[in-house]
Amino acid sequence: MRKRSILARKENLEGYLFILPWIIGFCVFTAGPILFSVFLSFHEWHIFDDMKWIGLGNYKMLFTDPLFYHSLKVTFEYAIINVPLVLIVGLLLALLLYPKVKGTSVFRTIFYIPSIVPVVATATLWIWIYNPEYGLLNFFLEKIGIDGPDWLYSTEWVVPAIAFMGVWTVGPTMIIYLAGLEDIPQVYWDAAKVDGANYWQRLRYITLPLLSPTTFFLFITNLMGALQTFAQAYIMGGGGEGFGAPANASLFYCLYLYEQGWSWFNMGYASALSWILTLIIFVLTLIIFKTSNKWVYYERS
Amino acid sequence: MSCKKFVGVLVVVVMLLLSVYLPAKVFLRATTWDEAEGVKWIKEVFAKYEKLNPDVKINVQSVTQGYDDKIITSLAGGTPPDLFMWWDYPRLASLNVLEPIENVVDLSKIDPMLVKWVTYGGHVWGVAKDWTTRVIWYNKEVFDKYGVPYPTNDWTWEEFREIAKKLTHPEDKVWGFLVSPDPYDWEGYIKMNGGDYLSPDASTMDGYLNSKETIEAVKFLTNLYLVDGVSPSPSIISASGGSYAMFESGKVAMIDSGSWFIGYMQSRHPGITTQELAKKFGCVFPPHPKGKEVKTMLHNAAWVVPKKSKHKEEALDVLKFLAEEGGRTMAEAGWALPINMEIAKEMKLFDDPILGTFLEVLPYAVEDPSFLKRADWDKNFAQYIADAFDLIMLKKATVEEALNKAVEESEKALKRK
């Protein structure tokens, strides 16, 4: 017994040694800055001057800042369109790619490929798709008699346009749904089939409820991602005009945060903004968790 | 002692002696946003300095992506380059990270306007390297095609507008002028109409940005797009490869720009001279309101030295040399305009069909540009003006509404801090 425990302890130690580089990296490059930003959010600091303690000053100022509310609104508008869209399209693709027929893996790969393209490339590509004169989208809309808007240079359409683009990177959502589908025992469907349930009934009463834990997970992670959207907006706003173009219509929360930090050097204020976002995400996740027992079914229960 | 050992010891001793008696070389780091061709000429200029000062070696570093952020983080980290290119002097000067140079460098040979445009808070912060005034470029082929006579330096806003209309031919996808709203680029038009962005004491935009004269100027510019339709839309411009591509190919007859178009053409047609360029393109002063004097904006990038430079003395000495050199090397290479007007005269640049206009209009540059009046110009003023221009161009607000809103938001922002 004694010998084993020494061995176990030694193995423990070795284990820690192996992950030590990661732990050091995490502390220096992740945990450290995170803690520092808490500290910063209570200060006024413009990089070159001395830090000035202002207590809750930054947080108070935030509530009188119209751009704070505006950027929050823009971000939520994006999330409300983007998250359900990505979940629905991801699920539909997964359902299409689930049956084991010849070439399934090829299609799975094809649908996943856009997700590995860097977001900068995707965004640049979509600037072209959305171009009102030469873009593919308006070309097709014209074919069916719709006069498409100037997507990225219109205050009404720029956020929906960026949200629609999210469908392009639906790959990871699709893959996780596929994994969820694989987990559902075949016998459930077989039994239902024997009982005379058609495809839609099986989908509605077996597949969707059994996928609800997957949906739950994807809903939370996609929502978190959506609220932190940065690169797409940074590149696509106003068709590449820059920050929040046109007229702040695409000023996402994280863009505003970045602007405060790096254009205006309000590091304290930017830190406060980022912690408020963290808080908002935390509260939303908590709400989703609390309501989850109403719509998420686990097989064991 | 063996022979080998002896040689070894000798080498070490000689090296030690050398390191004591030979002056150590000072390595300076110079950072620029210029790319290949521009860097080549910077190196050429620095090579002349190195020849005169053999103990100094200047390494040129070119940063083409995220230039501002990189400079600022290096300044914050206390490891800035010894000299670097900059243009937004108030932003850094107000942070107290730049070295004022007026007491060290002899500025008397540099054109006074170029010195004025690197002055903020009573100090001079750099030696101009690249500068350009804004002019109207016109494509002669488009003018010839539609039988419109070439413009002259004394043209008025009304004449400009009529010419732009005559050159606009939607059936050929040709537009007369390219309207691209920008608070900086448009300041000249506003000032020449007697308007302004800021009050003389620089405390507010109220009564200035929303004054009759400013509104009139902004209406003149935006109506070219909104009413007369002489300009392509922003998405057409970006899809057509940008303003220069459209201008070069004759889709747009006139653009308001600096001398950068020369560089653009040189990169596409290596070795092209301004004489050759003038066969197809011309430059004139910006148009002015009838009975008023023309004004133009200046873009003036300069070499600056940070307070925390490791070799401040040597870096300042390089600036002294650059002021003395007057931009001759780059002017002779046809890469940039000289900063010493004596050199321009000597090289007969005033007679150059293209460069002449840039030089002649320099005395008409705005004397007191807004960005040099306040360090928080971008943050508390310019961004609201840019939003206002956007709203006007999108027809979301009238000129009066948009500019009043900008004033209001700027006032609110000033109160918040």
Side-chain angles (χ1 to χ4, degrees):
Chain A
M1 269 320 271
R2 233 181 112 240
K3 251 191 179 158
R4 264 186 75 92
S5 86
I6 286 172
L7 183 71
R9 213 181 296 165
K10 202 174 155 222
E11 278 184 346
N12 254 343
L13 189 70
E14 279 171 354
Y16 281 120
L17 270 178
F18 276 119
I19 59 167
L20 193 62
W22 181 85
I23 290 179
I24 292 172
F26 175 78
C27 290
V28 175
F29 296 113
T30 308
I34 287 175
L35 291 176
F36 186 57
S37 79
V38 180
F39 173 76
L40 263 186
S41 72
F42 298 109
H43 287 78
E44 190 180 335
W45 186 48
H46 308 100
I47 301 189
F48 296 95
D49 52 356
D50 296 327
M51 283 185 205
K52 201 168 83 201
W53 172 268
I54 52 165
L56 288 173
N58 284 323
Y59 292 95
K60 276 183 199 149
M61 191 158 70
L62 214 127
F63 291 105
T64 61
D65 180 355
L67 281 180
F68 162 71
Y69 295 106
H70 174 77
S71 62
L72 212 53
K73 200 185 115 222
V74 168
T75 310
F76 272 98
E77 187 190 339
Y78 170 84
I80 286 166
I81 303 170
N82 174 269
V83 176
L85 196 67
V86 168
L87 289 188
I88 291 167
V89 175
L91 176 64
L92 288 178
L93 278 177
L95 288 172
L96 282 175
L97 296 174
Y98 174 66
K100 304 256 177 322
V101 291
K102 231 180 173 182
T104 317
S105 55
V106 175
F107 282 109
R108 287 180 186 182
T109 313
I110 289 174
F111 282 108
Y112 195 81
I113 280 176
S115 304
I116 57 171
V117 176
V119 61
V120 179
T122 308
T124 313
L125 177 76
W126 277 77
I127 288 178
W128 280 96
I129 292 179
Y130 282 132
N131 188 281
E133 298 294 318
Y134 311 98
L136 266 183
L137 184 60
N138 278 8
F139 173 77
F140 286 122
L141 285 177
E142 203 171 63
K143 293 262 170 209
I144 54 168
I146 298 171
D147 187 18
D150 188 345
W151 295 93
L152 297 174
Y153 209 82
S154 127
T155 45
E156 292 88 8
W157 284 105
V158 63
V159 172
I162 297 173
F164 297 154
M165 190 187 81
V167 176
W168 189 253
T169 49
V170 79
T173 306
M174 174 194 83
I175 289 289
I176 292 170
Y177 263 130
L178 269 173
L181 283 171
E182 303 276 359
D183 265 357
I184 301 175
Q186 186 70 32
V187 288
Y188 291 171
W189 283 313
D190 293 343
K193 224 184 216 170
V194 171
D195 287 344
N198 64 24
Y199 182 81
W200 297 111
Q201 285 166 330
R202 272 178 281 148
L203 182 67
R204 169 70 187 80
Y205 294 105
I206 295 176
T207 314
L208 288 185
L210 287 173
L211 273 181
S212 61
T214 314
T215 306
F216 175 59
F217 168 78
L218 286 171
F219 182 41
I220 288 178
T221 49
N222 273 310
L223 183 67
M224 284 177 176
L227 294 180
Q228 295 176 54
T229 302
F230 176 79
Q232 297 95 307
Y234 183 72
I235 297 161
M236 294 175 75
E241 289 279 305
F243 276 109
N248 282 337
S250 69
L251 190 73
F252 280 64
Y253 193 91
C254 286
L255 265 188
Y256 183 51
L257 193 164
Y258 178 88
E259 192 180 30
Q260 279 293 341
W262 289 104
S263 299
W264 319 134
F265 301 150
N266 292 328
M267 289 299 165
Y269 191 61
S271 300
L273 277 171
S274 67
W275 278 99
I276 289 293
L277 180 65
T278 312
L279 195 73
I280 290 170
I281 293 177
F282 180 73
V283 169
L284 278 178
T285 313
L286 209 65
I287 292 171
I288 297 166
F289 259 100
K290 287 283 176 210
T291 60
S292 69
N293 53 6
K294 295 217 170 66
W295 59 277
V296 177
Y297 304 94
Y298 290 99
E299 268 189 84
R300 58 174 183 275
S301 60
Chain B
M1 203 185 261
S2 75
C3 184
K4 252 187 193 163
K5 249 187 190 167
F6 177 74
V7 172
V9 170
L10 193 70
V11 167
V12 171
V13 169
V14 168
M15 277 172 69
L16 275 173
L17 283 174
L18 276 178
S19 69
V20 172
Y21 287 103
L22 277 184
K25 241 187 175 166
V26 173
F27 289 91
L28 294 181
R29 270 194 305 139
T31 306
T32 173
W33 57 66
D34 276 307
E35 291 179 36
E37 181 79 1
V39 171
K40 188 178 125 193
W41 296 114
I42 291 174
K43 282 184 177 159
E44 199 93 347
V45 177
F46 286 159
K48 289 193 178 168
Y49 178 83
E50 287 167 350
K51 213 168 180 188
L52 297 169
N53 304 272
D55 51 334
V56 177
K57 174 96 184 66
I58 307 168
N59 291 320
V60 182
Q61 186 190 16
S62 159
V63 176
T64 52
Q65 294 285 315
Y67 183 84
D68 289 16
D69 289 353
K70 269 183 196 145
I71 290 290
I72 282 158
T73 34
S74 76
L75 285 166
T79 54
D82 299 298
L83 54 161
F84 59 89
M85 296 273 294
W86 199 250
W87 70 273
D88 187 0
Y89 315 101
R91 189 170 170 199
L92 291 188
S94 67
L95 296 169
N96 200 25
V97 291
L98 290 187
E99 188 70 24
I101 63 161
E102 68 274 9
N103 294 329
V104 188
V105 179
D106 176 13
L107 301 161
S108 62
K109 286 183 186 152
I110 303 174
D111 186 86
M113 192 61 90
L114 299 178
V115 176
K116 208 174 268 174
W117 278 63
V118 291
T119 304
Y120 167 75
H123 294 289
V124 179
W125 301 101
V127 171
K129 179 205 154 234
D130 279 325
W131 66 270
T132 175
T133 37
R134 295 190 76 87
V135 302
I136 301 286
W137 283 88
Y138 61 95
N139 187 320
K140 291 181 179 172
E141 284 173 4
V142 184
F143 276 72
D144 294 344
K145 186 176 169 193
Y146 298 113
V148 181
Y150 301 153
T152 48
N153 284 343
D154 59 354
W155 57 342
T156 64
W157 282 3
E158 261 326 298
E159 287 162 358
F160 171 79
R161 194 176 157 196
E162 287 313 311
I163 291 174
K165 278 195 213 166
K166 277 184 204 155
L167 293 163
T168 303
H169 292 265
E171 70 282 3
D172 301 340
K173 292 222 165 198
V174 172
W175 288 271
F177 181 62
L178 194 142
V179 179
S180 74
D182 182 276
Y184 189 97
D185 299 354
W186 281 8
E187 193 170 337
Y189 291 98
I190 283 153
K191 287 250 167 76
M192 62 172 115
N193 199 41
D196 209 331
Y197 289 144
L198 276 175
S199 61
D201 66 352
S203 65
T204 179
M205 296 204 288
D206 197 12
Y208 296 88
L209 179 67
N210 49 2
S211 71
K212 189 179 129 267
E213 293 80 8
T214 306
I215 288 170
E216 207 174 74
V218 174
K219 270 188 183 158
F220 160 67
L221 291 159
T222 51
N223 279 352
L224 291 167
Y225 173 72
L226 296 171
V227 177
D228 303 331
V230 303
S231 168
S233 71
S235 38
I236 293 181
I237 299 168
S238 76
S240 307
S243 53
Y244 289 163
M246 287 192 89
F247 177 63
E248 190 202 349
S249 63
K251 281 183 181 165
V252 165
M254 298 185 284
I255 53 170
D256 175 315
S257 186
S259 62
W260 311 293
F261 182 68
I262 305 171
Y264 170 84
M265 289 300 284
Q266 282 172 342
S267 70
R268 294 167 61 81
H269 310 277
I272 192 168
T273 64
T274 48
Q275 318 295 331
E276 285 163 333
L277 207 59
K279 284 180 192 147
K280 204 180 150 185
F281 305 100
C283 290
V284 283
F285 288 11
H288 57 84
K290 205 169 181 189
K292 291 173 180 166
E293 192 179 59
V294 65
K295 293 264 173 231
T296 186
M297 285 300 277
L298 183 63
H299 296 258
N300 192 21
W303 286 108
V304 299
V305 172
K307 275 212 162 83
K308 280 194 180 154
S309 158
K310 299 265 180 311
H311 308 284
K312 199 152 71 183
E313 231 167 273
E314 289 85 351
L316 285 169
D317 196 56
V318 175
L319 290 198
K320 268 188 223 170
F321 166 80
L322 293 173
E324 178 71 35
E325 201 257 355
R328 182 185 292 274
T329 310
M330 291 205 200
E332 281 171 358
W335 179 252
L337 294 161
I339 55 174
N340 178 346
M341 290 310 127
E342 291 307 314
I343 296 176
K345 278 176 200 147
E346 184 194 314
M347 288 175 65
K348 298 203 165 54
L349 290 181
F350 281 91
D351 304 328
D352 185 284
I354 299 285
L355 300 177
T357 309
F358 292 95
L359 292 162
E360 276 169 38
V361 81
L362 179 60
Y364 297 99
V366 166
E367 300 258 333
D368 53 345
S370 304
F371 85 102
L372 283 178
K373 287 193 201 160
R374 288 193 68 127
D376 61 349
W377 167 246
D378 260 338
K379 180 176 141 195
N380 288 334
F381 302 92
Q383 64 157 332
Y384 301 112
I385 304 174
D387 288 348
F389 289 171
D390 268 359
L391 289 175
I392 297 165
M393 294 290 278
L394 290 162
K395 295 191 189 167
K396 295 273 163 195
T398 65
V399 175
E400 288 89 347
E401 284 165 5
L403 296 181
N404 276 316
K405 186 169 169 247
V407 169
E408 211 174 288
E409 285 183 353
S410 157
E411 291 295 301
K412 265 194 230 155
L414 287 169
K415 269 187 208 121
R416 265 207 301 281
K417 287 285 151 84

